[in-house]
Amino acid sequence: QVQLVESGGGLVQPGGSLRLSCAASGFTFTNYWMYWVRQAPGKGLEWVSHINRRGDNTYYADSVKGRFTISRDNAKNTVYLQMNSLKSEDTGVYYCAKDVKPWTYSTSYETGGQGTQVTVSS
């Protein structure tokens, strides 16, 4: 059973930073590309970033490029999202997700946790 446990969210002022973590279990972590997605209040899921299996290729939505950094520690089955220069529009619930297919980037992902709330407000 796939489990993805997100943590690290909270309330932060504009311009601040947070580091999200996602502990994965129930599947072979190193076989999968991993994602971070978010859901703003009243809106659908929005892709934020994804990372390849080895962690040496990363991709970002234009809205977060240059401010967010995705990384992974395959020894710890954990994926991270470092978020700097946060803006009010970054507010939402952040979920990590795994690709639906092993070994490849399929563009489709599945979430497996409750998410972590990020609120950017003064």
Side-chain angles (χ1 to χ4, degrees):
Q1 180 182 355
V2 172
Q3 282 197 315
L4 299 167
V5 180
E6 302 93 345
S7 62
L11 173 63
V12 63
Q13 292 186 342
S17 297
L18 285 173
R19 189 193 193 206
L20 306 184
S21 299
C22 171
S25 62
F27 64 101
T28 304
F29 183 72
T30 52
N31 289 354
Y32 288 85
W33 290 58
M34 296 297 294
Y35 302 70
W36 283 99
V37 299
R38 66 187 180 186
Q39 187 167 27
K43 296 189 177 181
L45 281 175
E46 174 193 18
W47 166 73
V48 173
S49 180
H50 64 269
I51 187 168
N52 70 342
R53 294 187 297 116
R54 293 181 304 190
D56 56 357
N57 281 303
T58 57
Y59 305 84
Y60 301 93
D62 287 344
S63 58
V64 307
K65 199 173 294 182
R67 300 188 297 121
F68 290 11
T69 303
I70 190 173
S71 61
R72 66 191 293 164
D73 185 336
N74 285 343
K76 295 183 178 180
N77 285 5
T78 300
V79 60
Y80 304 97
L81 187 68
Q82 177 67 45
M83 305 187 297
N84 300 328
S85 303
L86 282 160
K87 305 175 181 180
S88 58
E89 51 262 44
D90 295 318
T91 293
V93 180
Y94 283 69
Y95 300 90
C96 72
K98 61 177 284 294
D99 203 291
V100 298
K101 294 183 179 180
W103 309 111
T104 188
Y105 170 60
S106 77
T107 75
S108 297
Y109 53 81
E110 55 182 345
T111 58
Q114 298 298 311
T116 186
Q117 175 71 46
V118 171
T119 303
V120 185
S121 175
S122 55

